[in-house]
Amino acid sequence: MRKIFSKYNLPANSLPNGKGWGWAFILALSSCGNSTSTINPPPSTDSIAADLASINSAIEKDRSNPDLYFRRAHYYFEHKNYADAITDMQIVLKFDSASAKNYIFLSDLYLTQNKTKDTRNMLRKAMKCDSASTEALLKYSELFFLARKYDTAMFYINRSLHFDRTRASAHFQKGMILKETGDTARAISSFQDAIRADQNYYNAYMQLGVLYARKKNPLALEYLDGALRIEPKSAEAFYNKGYFLQNTGAYEKALSVYDSLLVLAPQHFDALFNQGAILFEQKKPDEALQKFNSILAKDANFFRAYYGRGRCYEAKGLTQKAMNDYKRCLALNPDYDLAAFQLDRLEKKK
C-alpha cells in the first residue's frame, strides 16, 4: 500500500491482555472494574451476603483457624475489597508465617494498591520459605519486567524455568522479556515453547502472529487463526489478521476479515478506516468515502477519517472540500504530517 495511508492504519495494541500473567490479571482488576466480556450474570447480592455470612460464622466459632481467614481474604479479593483482604492475610501470617502461598497471595493484594515495595517484600519472603516456588519466581520476574529491568527479570524467569519447564506462562513471560529487548528470534522460540506447554495459550498465538506479520511471513495467519480458535470473538486477532492481509496485498480477504470484526465490534473505527484505505487504493473513492463518513458520523474527532475523506474528495475533483478536511484533520492533530503535506501541495496549486 502506498505511503498515502500506510503510516496511519497501524494495528491496534497487540500486547497481551493479561491472560496467563500473574500481575496483569491483578492490574486489570484494580483498574478496569467489571469486565464487559463476562457471559455469566453476576451472583445476586443475597447470595454474596450469604457466602460472607457463612465464612464469618465459621470464624466466630473458630478464631484460631488461619484457613478460614485465608478463605475470607479470597472472598474479599474476588469482590474487590482489597483492604479487608489484606487485613485478613495479615492475620493469617500471625498463625502461619512459613507458607509461601500466603506471601504470594498477599503480594497480589499489595499490587492492587500499587504498593510495589510491599509486593516485592512479600515475594522475597515467599522465596525464602520456598526457594523453588515457580509462582513466586515468575511473579518476581514480572515485577521487574513491569519496571523495565529486563536483566533482573530474565534472571528470575530462568530460575523459574529451571524448576519447572512445563509452565506455559513462564515461557510466555520469557518471550515478552526477549521481545522488549529486541531479541525477536529467541522471543519467537519462547512463545512457541509456551504453545508446546499449553496448546490453548491465546497470548502466545497472538504474539507469534504479530511478530510473523511484521516479517510479512504467512505463518502469521496460522498463529492468528490459532488465536481465533481459542477466542473466536477476539477483536485484536481479527484486526491483526485483516491488517496482515491488507499489508500483503490480499485486499478482498482483508475487507472480509474486517467485515467479520465489525459485526463483533461495530465501533472499531480502525477497521473501518482500513477498509476505506483499501477501497481508495482500489480506486473506489465513492465506496471509501462511505467508510470515512461512517466513522465521522459516530466520532467527529477521529482525525484520520478527515484525511481519508480528503483524499477521496481529491480523487473526485472536489479540491476545496479536500482542503477543508485536511484543515479539520490538522486542527485535531497538528502533527499529522500527511495531511499537512497534502494541504500544502493543494495551496501551492492555487
Side-chain angles (χ1 to χ4, degrees):
M1 185 168 287
R2 293 176 307 189
K3 291 290 186 182
I4 56 172
F5 278 107
S6 62
K7 185 176 179 182
Y8 297 98
N9 57 343
L10 298 174
N13 188 349
S14 55
L15 289 175
N17 60 12
K19 186 175 297 182
W21 285 72
W23 294 132
F25 172 71
I26 306 299
L27 292 172
L29 277 177
S30 63
S31 63
C32 300
N34 293 327
S35 171
T36 56
S37 62
T38 301
I39 296 174
N40 296 323
S44 68
T45 54
D46 289 342
S47 66
I48 291 173
D51 290 343
L52 180 57
S54 175
I55 301 171
N56 287 339
S57 177
I59 290 174
E60 285 294 325
K61 295 174 183 177
D62 186 3
R63 291 184 174 275
S64 61
N65 186 340
D67 291 340
L68 294 174
Y69 292 101
F70 188 84
R71 190 173 143 205
R72 189 168 67 179
H74 269 273
Y75 171 90
Y76 285 139
F77 173 78
E78 290 170 2
H79 295 88
K80 302 182 179 64
N81 184 351
Y82 304 122
D84 285 344
I86 289 172
T87 298
D88 272 352
M89 284 308 300
Q90 289 170 339
I91 295 172
V92 170
L93 289 176
K94 291 179 181 178
F95 292 106
D96 181 6
S97 61
S99 175
K101 74 171 185 178
N102 293 336
Y103 292 109
I104 291 171
F105 182 44
L106 191 50
S107 75
D108 291 347
L109 293 169
Y110 280 132
L111 192 67
T112 67
Q113 308 297 295
N114 294 318
K115 296 180 178 180
T116 53
K117 183 177 180 180
D118 290 326
T119 300
R120 185 175 64 247
N121 289 340
M122 291 303 103
L123 289 173
R124 284 175 175 169
K125 289 182 178 180
M127 290 184 287
K128 188 174 181 179
C129 293
D130 181 3
S131 61
S133 171
T134 55
E135 185 175 6
L137 289 164
L138 187 152
K139 290 187 174 184
Y140 201 58
S141 168
E142 190 168 349
L143 197 62
F144 284 102
F145 175 85
L146 294 172
R148 298 183 179 180
K149 296 181 179 179
Y150 300 123
D151 289 343
T152 307
M154 183 63 77
F155 174 81
Y156 284 100
I157 201 61
N158 280 335
R159 279 185 61 80
S160 175
L161 287 166
H162 172 76
F163 293 113
D164 182 5
R165 297 199 63 81
T166 67
R167 191 166 189 149
S169 56
H171 289 291
F172 178 80
Q173 186 165 319
K174 183 172 182 177
M176 290 302 298
I177 297 168
L178 291 165
K179 178 185 173 184
E180 288 298 307
T181 55
D183 195 340
T184 303
R186 289 176 64 205
I188 286 173
S189 179
S190 288
F191 293 138
Q192 289 170 335
D193 286 340
I195 289 175
R196 279 189 280 271
D198 179 359
Q199 294 184 358
N200 292 315
Y201 205 96
Y202 168 84
N203 278 331
Y205 282 100
M206 276 303 307
Q207 287 297 329
L208 286 165
V210 169
L211 290 175
Y212 276 114
R214 288 179 183 174
K215 301 172 182 284
K216 296 191 176 181
N217 187 318
L219 279 173
L221 291 177
E222 180 180 325
Y223 286 114
L224 292 170
D225 283 338
L228 286 167
R229 171 183 61 81
I230 301 162
E231 299 268 355
K233 296 183 179 181
S234 167
E236 68 172 348
F238 271 115
Y239 185 84
N240 280 281
K241 181 178 179 179
Y243 187 69
F244 173 79
L245 291 166
Q246 178 180 354
N247 273 354
T248 53
Y251 290 160
E252 294 304 323
K253 289 181 179 179
L255 288 170
S256 177
V257 171
Y258 288 139
D259 279 338
S260 297
L261 169 55
L262 288 164
V263 170
L264 295 171
Q267 302 293 98
H268 203 299
F269 297 144
D270 286 327
L272 268 175
F273 180 86
N274 286 3
Q275 284 189 323
I278 291 171
L279 292 166
F280 184 85
E281 291 297 320
Q282 293 179 322
K283 302 188 185 306
K284 300 176 181 178
D286 289 326
E287 293 181 45
L289 193 62
Q290 291 177 10
K291 299 294 182 180
F292 299 128
N293 278 332
S294 179
I295 295 171
L296 292 170
K298 299 170 184 175
D299 183 358
N301 293 318
F302 196 94
F303 61 88
R304 287 183 292 149
Y306 288 110
Y307 171 77
R309 193 169 70 174
R311 294 295 299 172
C312 293
Y313 283 145
E314 270 201 79
K316 291 166 63 66
L318 302 171
T319 303
Q320 188 57 53
K321 282 191 172 184
M323 293 176 66
N324 290 342
D325 270 355
Y326 296 145
K327 289 176 182 178
R328 289 190 185 106
C329 175
L330 290 167
L332 292 168
N333 185 353
D335 296 326
Y336 202 84
D337 56 346
L338 289 186
F341 173 80
Q342 297 298 342
L343 180 60
D344 182 64
R345 180 179 57 82
L346 291 179
E347 286 178 338
K348 287 179 179 177
K349 283 186 176 181
K350 283 189 172 183

